[in-house]
Amino acid sequence: MSYVHAQKFETYIPREMDTLGSRLRRKRRERGWTQEELALRAGTNQAVIQKIENGKSLRPRKIDEIAQVLDVNPAWLMFGESSTTVMDDEAVEVAKAWHNLPEPIRSRIRRNIFEQVLLHSNKK
């Protein structure tokens, strides 16, 4: 099992439990801010921060602003990735289009993508 070190609290969190909400809460607490203080700095409200921390909002619209005030990479906050890999223009365009699709279509496309990846990985 892989673990993530939560520096401020000297605890180790199993990587599969290191979620968007737990990363947000950890960074907010490291700064000594309440949910309300973070919300004000990020231009949103406390309920949004609470929903993210509780896992009720997995695709928050203010993630870039929240990451900026916490001084972290948005990709790290969303996915726990520490790399600063920059997406190319095509990937950004696809991500923006994906965000605008309704859920039934997303599920169908996601399933198709994974089927194609599996098919092509078996050919190698």
Side-chain angles (χ1 to χ4, degrees), residues 1-120:
M1 183 179 287
S2 177
Y3 289 87
V4 174
H5 182 240
Q7 297 167 344
K8 179 77 173 182
F9 304 105
E10 295 302 319
T11 58
Y12 288 87
I13 301 167
R15 192 166 292 283
E16 51 277 352
M17 293 180 65
D18 188 41
T19 63
L20 163 61
S22 67
R23 286 187 295 277
L24 175 62
R25 182 179 293 116
R26 188 168 60 244
K27 288 298 181 182
R28 175 181 61 79
R29 287 178 175 172
E30 283 176 8
R31 284 160 179 71
W33 296 343
T34 64
Q35 290 178 344
E36 181 69 28
E37 289 170 321
L38 173 57
L40 288 172
R41 293 169 190 259
T44 189
N45 61 59
Q46 181 271 334
V48 169
I49 303 300
Q50 182 181 37
K51 285 179 182 177
I52 297 169
E53 288 188 2
N54 291 335
K56 304 292 183 195
S57 177
L58 301 178
R59 291 178 282 128
R61 295 180 184 195
K62 291 281 192 169
I63 198 68
D64 289 331
E65 293 86 346
I66 294 168
Q68 183 178 5
V69 300
L70 290 172
D71 195 30
V72 298
N73 183 305
W76 175 83
L77 191 54
M78 283 294 295
F79 309 110
E81 297 177 5
S82 58
S83 70
T84 57
T85 303
V86 177
M87 292 193 325
D88 62 30
D89 291 340
E90 183 181 26
V92 171
E93 186 179 342
V94 169
K96 286 178 181 177
W98 177 266
H99 181 72
N100 292 322
L101 292 172
E103 180 46 43
I105 295 173
R106 283 186 191 188
S107 293
R108 189 173 66 235
I109 293 171
R110 183 182 305 113
R111 191 170 41 253
N112 190 301
I113 289 170
F114 289 124
E115 287 172 357
Q116 292 300 316
V117 168
L118 185 62
L119 283 172
H120 289 284

